[in-house]
Amino acid sequence: MSEAPAGGLEIARLSTSDVDFEARLDALLAWEGVSDHEVQRRVADILEAVKTRGDAAVVEASNRFDRLSASNMAELTLGPDRLREAFEGLPEAQREALATAAERVRRYHEHQKPETWSYTEADGTVLGQQVTPLDRAGIYVPGGKAAYPSSVLMNALPAHVAGVGEIVMVVPTPDGVLNELVLAAAHLAGVDHVFTIGGAQAVAALAYGTETVPRVDKIVGPGNIYVATAKRAVFGQVGIDMIAGPSEILVVSDGGTDPDWLAMDLFSQAEHDEDAQSILVSWDDAHLEAVAESMARQLPTMEREAIIRTSLSERGALIRCRDRGEAVALLNRIAPEHLELSVADPEAWLPEVRHAGAVFMGRYTAEALGDYCAGPNHVLPTSGTARFSSPLGVYDFQKRSSLIGCSAEGASALGRTASVLARGESLTAHARSAEYRIRD
Amino acid sequence: MSEAPAGGLEIARLSTSDVDFEARLDALLAWEGVSDHEVQRRVADILEAVKTRGDAAVVEASNRFDRLSASNMAELTLGPDRLREAFEGLPEAQREALATAAERVRRYHEHQKPETWSYTEADGTVLGQQVTPLDRAGIYVPGGKAAYPSSVLMNALPAHVAGVGEIVMVVPTPDGVLNELVLAAAHLAGVDHVFTIGGAQAVAALAYGTETVPRVDKIVGPGNIYVATAKRAVFGQVGIDMIAGPSEILVVSDGGTDPDWLAMDLFSQAEHDEDAQSILVSWDDAHLEAVAESMARQLPTMEREAIIRTSLSERGALIRCRDRGEAVALLNRIAPEHLELSVADPEAWLPEVRHAGAVFMGRYTAEALGDYCAGPNHVLPTSGTARFSSPLGVYDFQKRSSLIGCSAEGASALGRTASVLARGESLTAHARSAEYRIRD
């Protein structure tokens, strides 16, 4: 099939019956976050500077990259009072919407708390796992055009629900511009401190600690290539969440959803940025055509028309498949961040959905509802990483410790087995340590 | 206090009352896995070669680094029959010990399976999370002196319990030497294929796939600096577990445990390699002295005396603290991989243990029992990373998908909130997508 514009809309048209379908799909899905040697070198320099010179290096880098003129970290620090002021200063509608979203997100995440467990064996040996929260978490919030209050809620609330002792947020303020909604969200989400710093210098400050910024145990939140490179570099020193790629949606439609709704759902993904990806799959030709027409018609009315247009023409696609079975195979192959099952009986599809960050079920469940306030997290695995990773959750801010308590009898029995295996590995101190606990 | 030898034993002696205690403890715990530019460059070259030339590059690298003369991947592949043969060929005692260990590890890990859950709100909206296993997991098993059958069980069994579709194991065979116990463990643990390859080339093969090696979704298992560097590089392309540092134990003793037992427990950690770390903490001076004397006495009887001696003198320590409270503070500060609570009432300590990979409770619970057969995993967070990470577990081989199914009524209510928030973020396609679902 061709990529011919549909009434002014440029978007790839694929069919699973095309001979080159696999190759075209591969090309469409290909994404590699480019971190060249130059970026790595610059990030390494910043990390080293912050590690050795602390606050001074953070202030210098912030002044330079965010065009500020701060003389110390105190000027780049916001306390809880400032966050509360931001919340109280919002128009009522925004204040209420933010509070509603926070409450729903909190409630959903309460369901995610893993429990400490243990069991006792016949000989009295106790085995289990103890779950504890992190002492301190760092939330990276991008500045500028991608400063989203909803992201503050989605990153900080799971940490709060997990029982994290202290939540530290960093958000750059290019040219000194503060986003009041972001600060208000931080207030609602239980953030303890905010530092108005960003980039690799903020990641370094959180990972190593400075005179002012406390060292955290894990850093979460999206950022540009410098932030992603810095996070990858400090991984191990601290925990990190996934390195996020561009946002994507895969809509599977059975033809029964209003084409205008679906067009707007695809736009909502495409408007994020030029790299965002919107794909629609259906086995209904006329329906695909109707959605394409609606997109062409509605596109000129969009505020972010230019971004949407680029995103759709460079990374979007309408894919015709043969039937429901092929749609299932496709969605598992793509492992999308967002999967909209715009079909009559989405529950029936679930057992076959192996890989997806979030599943939006049915015609009413627009992804946008999940982005803001349905409850589940909007920080989701991108670029096919739903094959092996999960939405950000309470479990990301907790960790487990194995518990092993052997009774005298249990130690004696286990000691015999351990001794044989340890000697098989030529680890005789292991063997003798176990043998000391054998009776008789 | 001094580092004076105690009867031929060199080991650091620290006291929390020393004025330089904090600095000395920092120095003792400092560990940085060195991956210099040269290593990174060589790893990058190998990754690129395998990505572009597949099997041929893997065979070349294996011949070169493991001193083999394979002409194709078939010669580096072992099927299930070969694994079963290895198991059946073991002496009975080893076969039974391995089977006992495998059964206990499997049983423990069955308790770790997270469940799919959902709840329905008053307006019919359904929210939840669906848990699914990975399609394919890759297990890296080191070759040479660190080829441990117990590690095969500990890495592969959680994947098996998780329901992973296919488990692929790689293990280098330097100079062509196969370890029958390792193959036998693979048989017991449900490994599907074994490739006798290692190093960065094995990581690359698993991450990208080749003509012969299937691409996996996650790579777990320890390796040398080339393996660790390669894993860090492919992280994002595939999932990885933690980058492991040297193994460590922290024993806290109340003075009531036989000094000979504790000396051997400390040796069992130290015998792993020269970088391993064994630390004993107690508030009982005479007891610390008794353990030191026992170590000096028993050391000459150890097969791995030289390794233990180096490890203890370079990274070991006997630490005197004031009381139980200081011991708790220390253990949380150190966040050890293995924590032996060799005390009268270890359960009473648990609520205060915030950070530890595994807790071995009471005088009978030698770490060696947990290393082999108690049930919990022996792949644990090292170098203080227990602050933010967990033992390898079933949860590492599963992932979650958020579920959101809005009723018409629910979508209408949520749409109002989402619309306000989306417009606050200037994302009008998001707002309009939500507004389409508002009634009236």
Side-chain angles (χ1 to χ4, degrees):
Chain A
M1 300 179 85
S2 80
E3 320 232 355
L9 175 80
E10 260 192 76
I11 188 166
R13 308 288 285 262
L14 278 66
S15 167
T16 53
S17 61
D18 296 342
V19 287
D20 59 351
F21 175 72
E22 286 294 325
R24 290 188 66 194
L25 184 61
D26 278 345
L28 187 69
L29 299 177
W31 180 263
E32 224 164 330
V34 182
S35 178
D36 61 20
H37 286 297
E38 178 56 17
V39 170
Q40 289 191 13
R41 199 189 52 75
R42 290 170 69 177
V43 166
D45 287 348
I46 294 170
L47 295 180
E48 186 56 29
V50 173
K51 196 175 189 176
T52 51
R53 297 195 299 116
D55 281 351
V58 176
V59 170
E60 277 169 31
S62 301
N63 284 342
R64 183 170 158 212
F65 297 117
D66 294 333
R67 299 166 299 279
L68 308 178
S69 52
S71 47
N72 56 54
M73 275 303 293
E75 296 174 31
L76 301 176
T77 305
L78 304 177
D81 290 349
R82 178 67 185 82
L83 306 184
R84 187 168 10 87
E85 269 170 43
F87 179 68
E88 287 167 359
L90 292 182
E92 193 181 341
Q94 283 191 339
R95 212 164 57 226
E96 278 181 11
L98 211 53
T100 300
E103 181 46 34
R104 290 189 61 88
V105 172
R106 188 192 316 268
R107 204 182 313 150
Y108 176 87
H109 285 79
E110 288 285 352
H111 290 260
Q112 285 181 334
K113 293 174 92 160
E115 300 291 329
T116 293
W117 54 267
S118 69
Y119 60 96
T120 305
E121 302 191 304
D123 61 20
T125 293
V126 175
L127 300 172
Q129 209 161 35
Q130 172 161 295
V131 180
T132 46
L134 305 190
D135 285 349
R136 213 182 270 133
I139 313 288
Y140 190 97
V141 178
K145 64 174 180 174
Y148 296 138
S150 55
S151 291
V152 176
L153 297 183
M154 294 295 183
N155 280 281
L157 279 170
H160 193 70
V161 171
V164 169
E166 193 176 344
I167 304 173
V168 181
M169 181 174 124
V170 293
V171 55
T173 54
D175 301 306
V177 179
L178 279 169
N179 181 326
E180 293 296 313
L181 269 163
V182 161
L183 301 186
H187 167 73
L188 274 178
V191 170
D192 293 285
H193 315 279
V194 172
F195 298 100
T196 54
I197 58 178
Q201 60 273 20
V203 173
L206 292 171
Y208 306 129
T210 70
E211 303 91 312
T212 307
V213 182
R215 183 185 80 153
V216 303
D217 300 304
K218 186 164 189 170
I219 302 173
V220 303
N224 62 20
I225 189 68
Y226 290 94
V227 173
T229 304
K231 279 171 67 181
R232 190 183 285 267
V234 298
F235 170 58
Q237 178 79 30
V238 293
I240 63 168
D241 58 352
M242 283 300 301
I243 306 286
S247 197
E248 356 120 13
I249 191 170
L250 176 67
V251 180
V252 178
S253 174
D254 61 7
T257 305
D258 185 328
D260 285 351
W261 294 19
L262 295 182
M264 198 56 70
D265 295 353
L266 296 166
F267 286 175
S268 76
Q269 195 56 242
E271 76 174 340
H272 274 293
D273 58 66
E274 289 80 356
D275 295 324
Q277 183 159 63
S278 300
I279 301 179
L280 171 65
V281 169
S282 184
W283 52 88
D284 182 334
D285 270 327
H287 179 66
L288 284 169
E289 221 42 59
V291 175
E293 278 162 27
S294 173
M295 289 168 88
R297 175 168 33 81
Q298 294 194 87
L299 186 50
T301 73
M302 302 310 300
E303 292 188 14
R304 293 182 169 233
E305 179 186 351
I307 295 174
I308 296 173
R309 197 175 284 282
T310 306
S311 157
L312 291 178
S313 68
E314 306 213 329
R315 304 208 68 220
L318 305 179
I319 303 181
R320 188 193 166 281
C321 64
R322 253 184 217 97
D323 51 25
R324 180 183 180 289
E326 272 198 354
V328 168
L330 260 177
L331 74 87
N332 282 318
R333 158 80 188 284
I334 294 174
E337 180 190 13
H338 304 98
L339 172 64
E340 246 184 56
L341 291 178
S342 216
V343 299
D345 185 11
E347 280 81 5
W349 288 56
L350 281 187
E352 291 168 84
V353 174
R354 292 206 316 283
H355 313 300
V359 189
F360 299 81
M361 302 187 292
R363 317 194 190 289
Y364 289 101
T365 314
E367 188 215 304
L369 304 179
D371 286 344
Y372 290 107
C373 55
N377 211 288
H378 79 195
V379 180
L380 297 165
T382 58
S383 307
T385 58
R387 290 184 292 119
F388 54 83
S389 50
S390 301
L392 190 70
V394 170
Y395 35 79
D396 286 302
F397 297 98
Q398 297 184 316
K399 67 274 183 329
R400 306 163 194 239
S401 302
S402 303
L403 302 180
I404 314 175
C406 292
S407 65
E409 193 185 333
S412 183
L414 291 174
R416 290 176 207 278
T417 300
S419 163
V420 172
L421 295 172
R423 289 184 185 278
E425 293 181 355
S426 305
L427 294 177
T428 45
H430 283 69
R432 288 172 61 183
S433 165
E435 288 156 11
Y436 268 138
R437 274 81 173 184
I438 299 177
R439 290 165 154 183
D440 305 336
Chain B
M1 299 179 90
S2 80
E3 319 233 352
L9 175 78
E10 259 192 76
I11 188 165
R13 308 289 283 263
L14 277 64
S15 167
T16 53
S17 61
D18 296 342
V19 287
D20 59 350
F21 175 71
E22 286 296 323
R24 290 188 67 194
L25 184 62
D26 279 344
L28 188 70
L29 300 176
W31 180 263
E32 225 163 330
V34 182
S35 177
D36 62 19
H37 286 295
E38 179 55 20
V39 171
Q40 291 192 11
R41 198 190 53 73
R42 290 169 68 177
V43 166
D45 287 348
I46 294 170
L47 294 180
E48 186 57 28
V50 173
K51 196 175 189 176
T52 52
R53 297 193 299 116
D55 280 352
V58 175
V59 171
E60 277 168 32
S62 301
N63 285 343
R64 182 169 159 213
F65 297 116
D66 296 331
R67 298 166 299 278
L68 309 177
S69 52
S71 48
N72 56 53
M73 274 303 295
E75 296 175 30
L76 301 175
T77 305
L78 305 177
D81 290 350
R82 178 66 186 82
L83 306 184
R84 187 168 10 87
E85 268 170 45
F87 179 70
E88 288 167 358
L90 291 184
E92 193 181 341
Q94 284 191 337
R95 210 165 57 228
E96 279 182 10
L98 211 53
T100 300
E103 181 47 32
R104 291 189 58 88
V105 172
R106 189 192 316 270
R107 204 182 313 149
Y108 175 87
H109 285 78
E110 289 285 353
H111 290 261
Q112 286 181 333
K113 293 175 92 160
E115 300 292 329
T116 292
W117 54 267
S118 69
Y119 59 98
T120 306
E121 302 191 305
D123 62 18
T125 292
V126 174
L127 300 172
Q129 207 160 36
Q130 172 161 294
V131 180
T132 46
L134 305 189
D135 284 351
R136 214 181 270 134
I139 313 286
Y140 189 98
V141 178
K145 64 173 180 174
Y148 296 138
S150 56
S151 291
V152 175
L153 298 183
M154 294 294 183
N155 280 281
L157 280 170
H160 194 70
V161 171
V164 169
E166 194 175 344
I167 303 175
V168 182
M169 183 173 123
V170 293
V171 56
T173 54
D175 302 306
V177 179
L178 278 170
N179 181 326
E180 292 297 311
L181 269 164
V182 161
L183 301 185
H187 166 74
L188 274 180
V191 169
D192 294 284
H193 314 279
V194 172
F195 298 100
T196 54
I197 58 177
Q201 60 273 21
V203 173
L206 293 171
Y208 307 128
T210 69
E211 302 91 313
T212 307
V213 182
R215 182 185 81 152
V216 304
D217 300 305
K218 188 163 188 170
I219 302 173
V220 302
N224 63 18
I225 190 67
Y226 291 94
V227 173
T229 303
K231 279 171 68 181
R232 191 184 285 267
V234 299
F235 170 57
Q237 178 79 31
V238 294
I240 63 168
D241 59 351
M242 282 303 299
I243 307 284
S247 196
E248 356 121 12
I249 192 171
L250 176 66
V251 179
V252 177
S253 173
D254 61 7
T257 306
D258 186 327
D260 285 351
W261 294 19
L262 294 182
M264 199 56 71
D265 296 353
L266 295 166
F267 286 175
S268 76
Q269 194 57 242
E271 77 174 338
H272 273 294
D273 58 66
E274 290 80 355
D275 294 324
Q277 183 158 63
S278 301
I279 301 178
L280 171 65
V281 169
S282 183
W283 52 87
D284 182 332
D285 271 327
H287 179 66
L288 284 169
E289 221 42 58
V291 175
E293 278 162 27
S294 173
M295 289 167 88
R297 174 169 34 83
Q298 296 194 86
L299 187 49
T301 73
M302 302 310 301
E303 292 189 14
R304 293 183 170 231
E305 179 187 351
I307 295 174
I308 296 173
R309 198 175 282 283
T310 306
S311 157
L312 292 179
S313 70
E314 306 214 329
R315 302 208 70 221
L318 305 179
I319 303 182
R320 189 197 164 279
C321 63
R322 252 185 217 96
D323 50 26
R324 180 185 181 286
E326 272 197 354
V328 168
L330 260 176
L331 75 86
N332 282 316
R333 157 80 188 284
I334 294 173
E337 181 190 12
H338 303 98
L339 171 65
E340 247 184 57
L341 291 177
S342 214
V343 298
D345 185 11
E347 280 81 5
W349 289 56
L350 280 187
E352 292 168 83
V353 175
R354 293 205 316 282
H355 313 300
V359 189
F360 300 81
M361 302 186 293
R363 316 195 190 289
Y364 289 101
T365 314
E367 189 213 303
L369 304 179
D371 285 345
Y372 290 106
C373 55
N377 210 290
H378 80 195
V379 180
L380 298 166
T382 57
S383 308
T385 58
R387 290 183 293 119
F388 53 84
S389 52
S390 300
L392 190 70
V394 171
Y395 35 79
D396 286 302
F397 296 98
Q398 297 183 317
K399 67 275 186 324
R400 306 164 193 239
S401 301
S402 304
L403 303 179
I404 314 174
C406 293
S407 65
E409 195 186 330
S412 183
L414 290 175
R416 291 176 206 277
T417 299
S419 164
V420 172
L421 294 172
R423 290 186 183 276
E425 294 181 354
S426 305
L427 294 176
T428 46
H430 283 69
R432 287 172 63 181
S433 166
E435 288 156 11
Y436 268 138
R437 275 80 173 184
I438 300 178
R439 290 165 153 184
D440 305 336

